[in-house]
Amino acid sequence: LSELEALMERMKRLQEDKEDEEASQEEMATRFEKEKKESLLVISGGMCAFPVPFSFDDELVSTDVSRYIEDPGFGYKDFARRGEDHLPTFRAQDYTWENHGFSLVNRLYSDIGHLLDEKFRMVYNLTYNTMATHEDVDTTMLRRALFNYVHCMYGIRYDDYDYGEVNQLLERSLKVYIKTVTCYPERTTKRMYDSYWRQFKHSEKVHVNLLLMEARMQAELLYALRAITRHLT
């Protein structure tokens, strides 16, 4: 099977499995923890386990980027050390964008919540109902896996989502690309872009980038707004 046909077959099989039998809450929690720990091992350019968290301090920032920033060492760091048994988890049900973040950000900056919410929804729901040359395809499962994987990398868990879908739908090269674009965008290369979903249209792959960026922004907002809420109460 081609990469595309294999992906569509996995989507079909996952949908059939979901209709036959849903995973228990315990199984879904275990799958999330596994995916969260594995995401810490994903770095741009490959998958590797490091004894300490990887950060910009371990690598020189390219000259063309560092001249535009005051602190070249400032950047993304994994939310926990690799090898830790109990990694912190942000349960989305305890503080959601829809029920908590949206109203707070509107209080802080009038109407900005509506604009952000419209942006999140538009990018998440955007679809041509196609996958490369295939038409009339429901891509909801794939879009949800991309969005939730980014949140998983940030330690955010949705209790009603089966993270086994992430492992089934997102192959290794795509996970590497996702973490690079989301956490180390200046390291993204055309070769990495070309290495996943080779049969997909550019417009579909650009939509992946939009999804990743909106998922990251929402994750960052959730952490920030939750901290503000705790401070105010």
Side-chain angles (χ1 to χ4, degrees), residues 22 74 85 90 99 102 107 113 119 132 135 141 148 151 161 175 177 199 203 210 220 224 228:
E22 289 191 5
F74 181 81
D85 292 331
F90 183 141
N99 297 330
F102 172 80
R107 281 172 50 201
K119 186 160 70 85
E135 298 182 351
M141 180 181 291
N148 286 358
H151 280 205
Y161 181 69
K175 286 183 176 180
Y177 181 76
Q199 296 168 296
S203 59
L210 294 174
E220 293 169 339
I228 293 173

Side-chain angles (χ1 to χ4, degrees), residues 37-189:
K37 289 179 180 179
E38 287 182 355
S39 74
L40 296 177
L41 306 180
V42 178
I43 63 167
S44 58
M47 296 187 72
C48 180
F50 285 83
V52 294
F54 184 83
S55 69
F56 275 26
D57 298 330
D58 303 312
E59 225 181 57
L60 291 176
V61 178
S62 56
T63 305
D64 59 335
V65 174
S66 61
R67 63 182 173 176
Y68 295 115
I69 54 181
E70 295 180 0
D71 182 5
F74 181 81
Y76 170 85
K77 289 187 179 182
D78 284 323
F79 64 90
R81 286 185 174 273
R82 296 171 180 83
E84 286 185 356
D85 292 331
H86 303 289
L87 303 181
T89 295
F90 183 141
R91 294 181 70 253
Q93 278 70 14
D94 295 337
Y95 197 92
T96 66
W97 165 253
E98 293 81 6
N99 297 330
H100 305 91
F102 172 80
S103 57
L104 175 59
V105 80
N106 258 346
R107 281 172 50 201
L108 299 174
Y109 195 128
S110 180
D111 291 333
I112 193 66
H114 294 286
L115 296 175
L116 288 170
D117 190 63
E118 182 181 0
K119 186 160 70 85
F120 292 147
R121 292 179 185 275
M122 181 179 295
V123 171
Y124 187 86
N125 295 320
L126 181 66
T127 180
Y128 300 136
N129 293 313
T130 63
M131 285 180 63
T133 56
H134 294 264
E135 298 182 351
D136 299 321
V137 180
D138 184 356
T139 61
T140 303
M141 180 181 291
L142 195 54
R143 285 179 278 128
R144 184 170 59 237
L146 289 164
F147 195 92
N148 286 358
Y149 181 63
V150 173
H151 280 205
C152 178
M153 290 195 307
Y154 281 82
I156 300 175
R157 180 197 169 201
Y158 294 87
D159 291 346
D160 58 351
Y161 181 69
D162 183 358
Y163 288 85
E165 293 185 10
V166 168
N167 208 37
Q168 289 288 318
L169 298 176
L170 309 184
E171 73 238 9
R172 174 183 178 274
S173 61
L174 180 51
K175 286 183 176 180
V176 171
Y177 181 76
I178 290 171
K179 185 156 189 178
T180 305
V181 169
T182 307
C183 306
Y184 313 104
E186 77 288 348
R187 300 179 190 171
T188 308
T189 65

Side-chain angles (χ1 to χ4, degrees), residues 3 7 142 146 171 174 195-200 205 208:
E3 182 184 33
L7 177 57
L142 195 54
L146 289 164
E171 73 238 9
L174 180 51
S195 69
Y196 79 95
W197 289 359
R198 295 175 180 85
Q199 296 168 296
F200 281 66
K205 297 177 78 167
V208 170

